[in-house]
Each structure stands twice: as C-alpha cells, then as structure tokens.
Amino acid sequence: MSRATVAMIGAGPASLYGTEVLASEGFDVVILNRDIKPGGLAEFGIYPTKYKMKRGLRTYFDKILSDPAVSYLGNVSVGLEGDLSLEEVRDLGVSAVVVAVGAQGTNWLGLPGETGPGVYHAKDLVYHYNGLPPYSEEEFPIGNRVVVVGLGNVCLDIVHWLVCEKQVESVTAVARRGPAERKFTRKEYKLVSGALDQEGLRRELGAVAPVMESVGQDPERELENLLKFVDVPLEKESPTKFSMRFLRSPVGVARDDDGRVTGLITEVTELMPPTEEGWVGLRRTGRQEVVACDTVVFAIGDSIEPSLGLPLSEERANQFATVREPWPEEDSERPRYMVYDPAAGAPMWGTFVVGWARQASDGLVGKARADAVQGCEEILAYLRGEFPEGPGAPREGAEVAREVRALLQERGVRFVEYDEVVRLKEMEEEEAQKRGLEEFRYSRRQAILECLSGTRVVDSGEE
C-alpha cells in the first residue's frame, strides 16, 4: 500500500520539527523551500557568531532531512506569484499541505516619513548580515546615529551588529513602555551592555522615575538591573555608545528637504496602573519629542505573508484564518491549525498552518518546535480520517517529488535538492578553513547555483 505524502511549505524550525513527527508516523514529506538552504530563522535569524547554537541545530536538522521519507526542494517559492501556487501543490494529490513558512511579511506602522532611504525593518538587516540572498546582495547604508524602535531580543541583535560590526557613533533603543516592561533576555543584554552610556541611562531613569513610581515600580532597582553587566567585555572593542529611551511611542520619521532622516518623532507616553492580571497599560500624553538620528530601524516583529494565497482572519489581526471550533471538543483553549475559508464558510480540508505562519513572531526555536509538534496532532488526526472530510488516495513522496521536479523544470526553475545542500555546506567549510575563519557562507544566489551546477568556481575573493 502506498504511503501518504504531506507537502511542507517552508524549511524553518516549525517545518523541520513537524516533518520529523510526520515521518516518524509513517508519512512521506516533500519540503518546498523559498531559500536554497533549509533552517529558516534558525539558520538566518540567530546572530552569526552564535556558532555552537547554529551547529547544534544544523546537525539535528540534517538528521531529519536525510531521512529517506523526506524530499527537499529548495529555491522554490510558493504563493500567488511564486514558482508554484498552493492550489498547484494541492493538485499534486498530496494528503495534506502544511504551511510553515514563518512570518515572511514585514510589519510596518504606516507612519509619515517611514518609507524611503535610511529607514529599515530589523528582519531585512538580520537576513542581510546573516548572508541570506537576496537580502545579502542588497545595500543597506547605515548612518552614524541610529535609532532602533523596540526593546526585545531582535532589537538587541541589531544593537549587537551596530556596535560590534558597523561601530556606529551611537545607537538608541526607543521603547513605548518603561524599563520594567523590557522584553529582552539577560543573555542577549550581556552581549551589548559593555557599550552602555551609563550616565545617559541614569539620566533617563531619573526622568521616567515619577511615572514608574506612580504605578508602583522601583526605578532604582530597574537601574541596578540595567547596569548589572556593564563590565562584561564586548565581542569586539567598539567606540559606539548604546542608549535607551523609554515611554516614547513613534509617530513619524523626520526628514530634511533632501529626504534624509533627521530624527524619530515620538509621542511621550505614561504608564497606567496594572490590571488584576498584572498588565501595565499605556496612555498617550499628546506631547511630542524628536529623537535625533540619521537612520531608523523598526524591530517591532514580523507579519504573515498575504501573497501565499491563504484567507486572512476576520477576528485576529496579522493571522491566517483557522477553524474556530475547538479540537478536541473538550479543549477550547487549544489553538486550531486547519485553515478556514470565511468566503466559503467551511474549513480548507487538508490545509494547515504551524509555527509563525499560524501566529507571527511568537517565541523562538523552542516555541516553534512546540507549536509544530502540537499542530501535528491535529494533522495526524486528519490524515487518519478523524474529521468529517478526510484525505484522498495516498501517493508516495517519491512520486510527488518527481512530478514537482518535472513541473519546475518545465518552468525553468532551478531547484536545489538536499544532496546539493550538503555539497554547498562542504564547500563553505573548505572556504572557511582556507580563510582561517570560524565560519564562511556564500551569499549570492546566482553564484551558489552556478557553483552547484558546476558551471562556475567561486574563488576566495568573490564573496
């Protein structure tokens, strides 16, 4: 009897952990990935110098991808304007389609002056310095005085890069709330604390102290916590000064007559007393202040990608629509993973979303894994016929993969298979050894494809 096949769109942590579960349960999985390499944010979102973490994840993912039940096709975009549409993937006769592409969209605030030179989204910069084509091939001019909007771990990754690699004059993190509501972890904060403008931080805490005290917070304790790691040396010596501004909500980007960024326009905010659940609210004051800078980076989370062609939720912003009824029936708190079509008023049987594709920017690799594993329980129930409408006749993964290859070749799409990914990894390791580097990666898509095809040899000076 043929094994049923699941099409997995994307190859980040949620996809790969989900693939592991499905393959272990006896299903074939065909992975279609936009990027040449698998790994997603585990490969291109973690800070470049976290070698041990990245290598550990790669080793684990390689084990999943080398499973004979898994077929990998990279450099293949899926969506309304992609190499394949979701409808075409479904028409291959797969038993289920799982969308696990992460949050590929960019979350902007729609502020005056936001579009144009000198304003970037953190995700684009993270992809750029991590060597992900096409972002790695683009220019992102950075000025001397940079403002980063947000105060989570992604913000600190950007600060890390600006301090240690770009070594700008100053970088200022601007947060809507106060220091007690910061979202970053101690581990990330340690890496940049050596660049802190300590006197500036003391002044800032002194300025926001009355607002903090009005809601029962202790400014002195927060200051002590923020200064805890100032003696931890930076990864590289740097003259950059790192500052933080609190209780400032962005309302626009100021530009001069030539369109150059001159500052971030903010509205001063105040904290409101915490609710019974401990949530500290926020209110606007109407007072504005400009934080001078020549570059602005928004580190405010990412968004789902509407161009995939999945219906959007009518109740929940920045989410695809999923079935409302609980599954199992007795667990109303459990999220649903099966996609719902509001226009048809019915589930999209056999189509699922997991990880950040289900809820954008929600947690790190561990959270993506947990969400994928939980989502697979619903996917497996569908594959086993436990829903009113079940999958059609099973088709083996090798057969589906052959059909996908033929369709892509007909369209002139240069897809990359897993054995080529392994070869690329070996080439990069060899190049790193030649250059005396901890790690090296080729970062231009066309050069990578030509190397893998044997039509070009990339020498050490090319990247």
Side-chain angles (χ1 to χ4, degrees):
M1 182 178 175
S2 295
R3 290 161 58 102
T5 300
V6 175
M8 185 72 73
I9 315 301
S15 164
L16 295 174
Y17 287 123
T19 294
E20 180 182 36
V21 172
L22 295 169
S24 70
E25 292 291 331
F27 296 93
D28 289 341
V29 182
V30 175
I31 299 174
L32 302 173
N33 187 33
R34 175 195 65 178
D35 305 323
I36 292 174
K37 286 183 179 179
L41 282 178
E43 180 70 27
F44 298 106
I46 295 172
Y47 199 78
T49 54
K50 294 181 178 178
Y51 304 115
K52 185 176 179 181
M53 182 187 297
K54 285 195 172 191
R55 285 169 186 159
L57 288 167
R58 284 176 194 148
T59 299
Y60 196 95
F61 293 160
D62 284 341
K63 181 181 175 184
I64 296 168
L65 289 160
S66 59
D67 188 322
V70 178
S71 300
Y72 176 82
L73 296 171
N75 201 42
V76 178
S77 61
V78 176
L80 296 175
E81 298 180 359
D83 301 316
L84 296 169
S85 68
L86 277 175
E87 186 176 357
E88 287 175 321
V89 174
R90 293 189 197 98
D91 288 346
L92 294 167
V94 294
S95 295
V97 176
V98 181
V99 176
V101 296
Q104 291 184 0
T106 303
N107 193 20
W108 292 100
L109 298 178
L111 306 179
E114 182 181 75
T115 56
V119 179
Y120 308 112
H121 194 281
K123 181 181 69 176
D124 296 348
L125 293 181
V126 169
Y127 285 166
H128 172 73
Y129 65 61
N130 265 302
L132 173 64
Y135 303 92
S136 53
E137 303 171 58
E138 297 174 11
E139 295 293 330
F140 292 90
I142 303 293
N144 288 317
R145 296 176 301 158
V146 185
V147 160
V148 185
V149 179
L151 205 57
N153 283 341
V154 174
C155 165
L156 292 195
D157 274 352
I158 297 296
V159 171
H160 188 172
W161 179 64
L162 292 169
V163 169
C164 294
E165 300 303 325
K166 303 302 287 184
Q167 301 205 351
V168 298
E169 180 183 315
S170 68
V171 53
T172 304
V174 174
R176 295 170 63 238
R177 299 181 184 275
E181 289 76 47
R182 61 190 182 275
K183 298 295 184 183
F184 56 72
T185 60
R186 288 161 55 98
K187 187 175 180 180
E188 302 303 321
Y189 188 58
K190 269 186 176 182
L191 297 172
V192 297
S193 286
L196 265 177
D197 177 358
Q198 297 179 44
E199 288 308 310
L201 183 63
R202 288 188 175 91
R203 287 195 300 272
E204 181 67 11
L205 267 289
V208 300
V211 176
M212 295 177 66
E213 289 166 347
S214 71
V215 295
Q217 295 178 354
D218 184 346
E220 286 299 321
R221 186 180 67 184
E222 298 304 333
L223 177 61
E224 183 181 338
N225 288 335
L226 289 170
L227 293 174
K228 192 169 287 185
F229 306 115
V230 292
D231 294 326
V232 175
L234 294 169
E235 191 174 82
K236 294 180 181 178
E237 285 189 23
S238 171
T240 306
K241 288 293 185 183
F242 170 40
S243 306
M244 285 177 273
R245 299 297 308 275
F246 301 105
L247 300 176
R248 300 290 185 274
S249 182
V251 294
V253 176
R255 296 180 181 273
D256 63 17
D257 292 341
D258 295 320
R260 291 182 294 244
V261 173
T262 59
L264 177 73
I265 307 168
T266 68
E267 183 175 359
V268 179
T269 58
E270 292 181 350
L271 300 174
M272 297 175 66
T275 62
E276 291 181 6
E277 294 79 21
W279 173 251
V280 177
L282 199 69
R283 63 170 164 246
R284 296 177 175 274
T285 65
R287 302 193 309 274
Q288 290 192 352
E289 178 183 301
V290 177
V291 181
C293 63
D294 53 24
T295 308
V296 176
V297 181
F298 286 95
I300 53 175
D302 301 315
S303 170
I304 58 171
E305 181 49 73
S307 68
L308 280 164
L310 290 175
L312 302 179
S313 172
E314 296 175 340
E315 296 86 19
R316 302 179 300 276
N318 198 26
Q319 289 190 35
F320 293 120
T322 52
V323 175
R324 301 179 184 90
E325 291 75 24
W327 182 88
E329 289 183 7
E330 63 274 10
D331 190 353
S332 60
E333 297 301 314
R334 184 189 183 101
R336 288 300 304 269
Y337 296 84
M338 187 181 291
V339 177
Y340 182 80
D341 183 356
M348 293 181 67
W349 298 104
T351 301
F352 301 86
V353 285
V354 298
W356 279 17
R358 183 186 67 79
Q359 187 169 353
S361 302
D362 183 30
L364 303 175
V365 172
K367 186 72 177 286
R369 179 178 191 168
D371 194 72
V373 170
Q374 181 171 266
C376 280
E377 294 177 12
E378 185 174 331
I379 296 165
L380 288 168
Y382 170 79
L383 292 169
R384 291 169 181 153
E386 297 176 20
F387 285 92
E389 188 170 323
R395 293 187 73 196
E396 289 187 353
E399 183 183 357
V400 172
R402 277 195 300 271
E403 194 168 323
V404 174
R405 290 187 193 100
L407 184 56
L408 293 171
Q409 285 170 343
E410 184 182 310
R411 295 178 180 180
V413 178
R414 173 53 168 100
F415 53 86
V416 173
E417 304 206 47
Y418 180 60
D419 61 339
E420 294 181 292
V421 171
V422 173
R423 185 148 51 91
L424 176 59
K425 180 181 175 183
E426 291 168 351
M427 290 165 58
E428 289 178 334
E429 287 173 351
E430 184 180 337
E431 193 62 40
Q433 199 169 24
K434 279 185 194 175
R435 300 186 184 207
L437 300 173
E438 186 80 26
E439 190 169 285
F440 171 85
R441 66 169 35 137
Y442 293 113
S443 56
R444 286 186 286 156
R445 185 186 298 272
Q446 192 57 38
I448 293 170
L449 296 176
E450 289 173 358
C451 285
L452 292 175
S453 300
T455 59
R456 171 184 182 142
V457 177
V458 176
D459 64 44
S460 349
E462 258 189 280
E463 292 286 321

